[in-house]
Amino acid sequence: MSLEDPSLYASRLAALRHAMHHAGVDAYYIPSADPHLSEYLPEHWQGRQWLTGFEGSAGNVLVTQEFAGLWTDSRYWVQAEQQFRASPFTLMRQGEADVPSITDWVRQHMPANAVLAFDGKVMSVTAYEAWESLSQEGWTINAELDLLEAIWQERPPLPLAPIFEHESEYVAQTRAQKIAGLRQQLIEHQADWWLLSSLDDIAWLLNLRGNDVPYNPVFLAHALVSAHTFRLYLEESKVSTELMLRLAEDGISLRPYDMLSMDLLELPIQQYLGLDPQRVTVGTLQNAQHLHWLPLPNPTQTTKAIKADSELAHIRRAMEKDGAALCVFFAQFEQQLAQGQSLTELDVDQRLTAARAQQPDFISPSFGTIAAFGANGAMPHYQATPQAFSVIEGDGLLLIDSGGQYLDGTTDITRVVPIGQITDAQKTDYTRVLKGMIALSRAVFPRGVTGQQLDVLARAPLWEVGLEFGHGTGHGVGYFLNVHEGPQSISWRGRNPAVPLEVGMITSNEPGLYRAGEWGIRIENLVVVQPALSTEFGDFLSFETLTLCPIDTRCLNLSLLNAAEVEWLNGYHQEVRERLSPYLHDEALAWLIERTEPIL
């Protein structure tokens, strides 16, 4: 992939530098963020992509008159290198030992009297702390400057998709019950108000969904909650009259989206405002300086992450539908390849989405499908585009990472399949990745253990031969919500303090291995924490695997698997066959049976 028109991005950079000069700014910072700190951004806030042409979902930019750099993590290094071949931007490999953070770069290269600016409406309170330290060291910070607004002539408007209810048959608690739980947290933390800006928290709390953000069924809103009032800030045209009346019955008053700042200003002085500093921006709080801030994680985070038994029953059903769609896709895909049809990575995306769309209650993909053949697989978040894609032909590995949003669940699965003849080295890499995935799947651990502590299980088969992968092993997953959800994760690089895994939490299990310019491997299932056993030493937990789709055994080096791993894989395939067979017939059923045959 490369930039379609490098001169376009050079001219946009020149326009930004002109605006900086006019505003008296020496360095301008653009994060990948919106006022809700979302992972996937509405087009209105995709300023970093508009400016640089870099399409990855994570990356932050710093521009001076002499330098323009983009910091991004190892998931995107290969992609950024390709897209920046003829770009005025310099890739800064975030995480490498010799690459400074953006604020440290400022310390090293900018005079202490320089003016640093950014739009505080898209910077979290936590992230702002690093910039605030610069102001204490002599630099001038302007956190109220949106320079893109003046130069982005065709900036897309805010989205206006309708809001709808997540119907009662799918939810375990009513809106009123969830709000009552939040208000109980206000009492416990002695807060007068709680401010929610994170879209998934608001959608979950109110049993509402929308379509303002790609792949995530959420809507743009803020919520300000007290013991007796609930103010929801959004574009009211997105709410039907019927829904507006139902919200009013639950004590929810609708306010214009841009009125939050004024309402915060009018709150009585010295009152206590609860907020999550990682999920609220400093710009949102510009008019809340007279309040006492209580910086705490949103209470909804953990409550949302722990799925009820009734919700898990729906999610298992969604996994069956998703697995059936994958079987239909793979059966057709392999048949077409065998017939000599020319297929591309774009075809994989289109046909896989079409197969899911045939299933009941399917809404949309849960993220942009990653169909990466050969060397493209070495980019963990590679995205084929109409301008840059590969034909699936010859020999190699095809990595497919995809997911679906259903009314009854959110899915995320990665499988790797062989194309033509694959090498012994590829089989060895594949098997080591699978060994790590199986080890984590089989884990039994005491209550209170965190994902950070379990991560070694998935990495040990790679570490023992000097291999590693740069991304996390597991992320939380929502319930017809964001495909990436906190607070739980499985990664030794994860957040601090670490969050214990609790019964009902869903995470991905996706170790990988990437050889730049050659191939990439990732095998991913979703798992949910369940009780395992109780002994005189305490309560122990384990994982139930939720995802249902064959793991391709043609890529295995069987000599590397031990008896316990073979037993797990055969048992998993038996369950996949039993649960998906009722959904399938003809070629798809035959494919399922063939791909779930026991090994050894």
Side-chain angles (χ1 to χ4, degrees), residues 564-582:
E565 292 163 343
V566 171
E567 181 182 12
W568 182 91
L569 185 58
N570 286 339
Y572 174 70
H573 278 158
Q574 180 179 349
E575 181 183 5
V576 170
R577 181 186 291 192
E578 290 174 353
R579 290 178 61 184
L580 296 189
S581 290

Side-chain angles (χ1 to χ4, degrees), residues 206-227:
L206 299 179
N207 290 338
L208 298 177
R209 299 295 188 266
N211 192 30
D212 283 350
V213 178
Y215 310 120
N216 295 335
V218 295
F219 52 94
L220 300 184
H222 301 275
L224 188 61
V225 188
S226 73

Side-chain angles (χ1 to χ4, degrees), residues 30 56 133 139 154-155 182 190 198 204 225 227 261-262 268 330 338 359-360 412 420 427 499 519 541 553 572 575:
I30 305 173
S133 66
W139 283 272
E154 298 179 358
R155 188 171 191 172
L182 175 59
Q190 299 182 329
S198 42
W204 175 86
V225 188
S261 181
M262 183 62 66
F330 276 119
Q359 294 296 327
D412 182 1
K427 290 182 178 181
V499 176
W519 61 78
L541 308 175
T553 58
Y572 174 70
E575 181 183 5

Side-chain angles (χ1 to χ4, degrees), residues 367-411:
F367 56 95
T369 298
I370 299 169
F373 180 57
N376 293 338
M379 296 178 273
H381 281 219
Y382 166 80
Q383 290 277 301
T385 68
Q387 294 76 34
F389 60 87
S390 290
V391 177
I392 301 168
E393 61 185 1
D395 300 325
L397 296 173
L398 173 64
L399 184 154
I400 304 175
D401 188 349
S402 67
Q405 292 284 8
Y406 300 82
L407 291 176
D408 46 2
T410 300
T411 71

Side-chain angles (χ1 to χ4, degrees), residues 171-233:
V171 300
Q173 289 183 297
T174 65
R175 229 182 341 258
Q177 289 172 324
K178 291 180 177 180
I179 293 172
L182 175 59
R183 285 180 168 144
Q184 182 61 38
Q185 292 290 314
L186 261 72
I187 294 171
E188 294 180 11
H189 293 299
Q190 299 182 329
D192 297 294
W193 301 86
W194 201 282
L195 174 62
L196 293 174
S197 288
S198 42
L199 304 184
D200 54 331
D201 285 306
I202 295 170
W204 175 86
L205 180 67
L206 299 179
N207 290 338
L208 298 177
R209 299 295 188 266
N211 192 30
D212 283 350
V213 178
Y215 310 120
N216 295 335
V218 295
F219 52 94
L220 300 184
H222 301 275
L224 188 61
V225 188
S226 73
H228 304 291
T229 63
F230 193 117
R231 303 175 186 175
L232 182 61
Y233 298 85

